[in-house]
Amino acid sequence: FLYGNEAVLALKRQGFLAGNSIFYDMKRWVGRYREHIFVSDLEGNTCGTERIYLIRKFLLYVIRQAEWQTRKHYTKICFTCPVKQKGLFLKMYREALPEYQIFSEDEADEAVAIAYHFLEQSIREASYEDGILKRAFILDCGGGTSNLVSCDYKITDEGITNRLDLHVAFAHGDTNFGGNHLT
């Protein structure tokens, strides 16, 4: 399998008209990841496989790239997921990567992960109001889903470190609003 720039370069060499399989929106396979599909390579060879096999190969590629860049081996992995499909995604990830411990309790959904990033940046840049309760509302429009989160937070400077109190008050997702559905 080829990914990213390597795949684009191979397609350019083939003139973009090769009969090989190209996959987009694999995230949308979550409800049917055990479905069989046919895959063709750059030479035109075809075989049948389950979608979960392709998902596994892609995830392993991403994990290997991360291990190569950080010079570390990972055994535990945390995934963010759309709010409404969190259970489906975590089940699929566990089946695709049985050799890894997939965190499945108290997982942050995609929009809450955005909140954590914003708050981490505020702490790093010291651009927060110490000890003041604030409210954040996040609308994350992704590739095919959208997530809505309302949360209250307070950052307190405790000298050596900072304390973050975060309470998610509301989380909602829409699996059919995002990506190509937006204009």
Side-chain angles (χ1 to χ4, degrees):
F1 297 102
L2 302 176
Y3 305 98
N5 288 334
E6 188 180 352
V8 170
L9 291 173
L11 280 175
K12 283 182 181 178
R13 285 192 299 273
Q14 297 287 335
F16 289 98
L17 297 175
N20 58 290
S21 300
I22 301 172
F23 299 102
Y24 297 99
D25 290 338
M26 290 172 66
K27 183 178 183 178
R28 290 186 171 273
W29 291 357
V30 68
R32 300 182 331 265
Y33 62 86
R34 286 287 182 191
E35 193 172 287
H36 278 77
I37 58 172
F38 286 95
V39 179
S40 299
D41 67 13
L42 289 168
E43 285 78 39
N45 302 309
T46 302
C47 73
T49 188
E50 283 185 313
R51 288 176 165 180
I52 191 79
Y53 178 77
L54 299 175
I55 292 166
R56 173 179 169 73
K57 290 297 186 181
F58 174 72
L59 292 173
L60 288 173
Y61 171 79
V62 172
I63 293 166
R64 299 294 178 260
Q65 291 295 310
E67 290 177 336
W68 181 81
Q69 289 179 6
T70 61
R71 307 287 192 258
K72 294 180 181 179
H73 175 67
Y74 298 104
T75 58
K76 301 175 184 178
I77 300 178
C78 175
F79 289 100
T80 60
C81 308
V83 173
K84 280 193 168 180
Q85 296 178 312
K86 190 181 291 189
L88 281 172
F89 271 94
L90 292 174
K91 180 180 180 223
M92 180 183 72
Y93 291 139
R94 281 192 298 272
E95 287 185 39
L97 301 169
E99 67 270 46
Y100 291 91
Q101 180 183 349
I102 307 297
F103 292 108
S104 59
E105 289 186 28
D106 300 322
E107 289 300 307
D109 60 60
E110 292 171 339
V112 173
I114 292 168
Y116 275 119
H117 174 72
F118 166 76
L119 296 171
E120 182 274 331
Q121 187 176 7
S122 299
I123 292 169
R124 189 171 15 90
E125 296 172 357
S127 62
Y128 61 91
E129 295 180 57
D130 189 24
I132 306 295
L133 184 64
K134 297 276 192 167
R135 175 164 286 154
F137 184 73
I138 297 134
L139 171 59
D140 168 33
C141 290
T145 62
S146 63
N147 294 293
L148 216 56
V149 168
S150 176
C151 59
D152 299 323
Y153 69 92
K154 179 171 60 173
I155 303 170
T156 308
D157 184 353
E158 294 188 343
I160 295 174
T161 188
N162 295 86
R163 177 184 184 87
L164 171 63
D165 293 312
L166 176 68
H167 174 72
V168 176
F170 173 79
H172 179 71
D174 187 336
T175 57
N176 296 308
F177 181 72
N180 293 333
H181 301 287
L182 299 176
T183 59

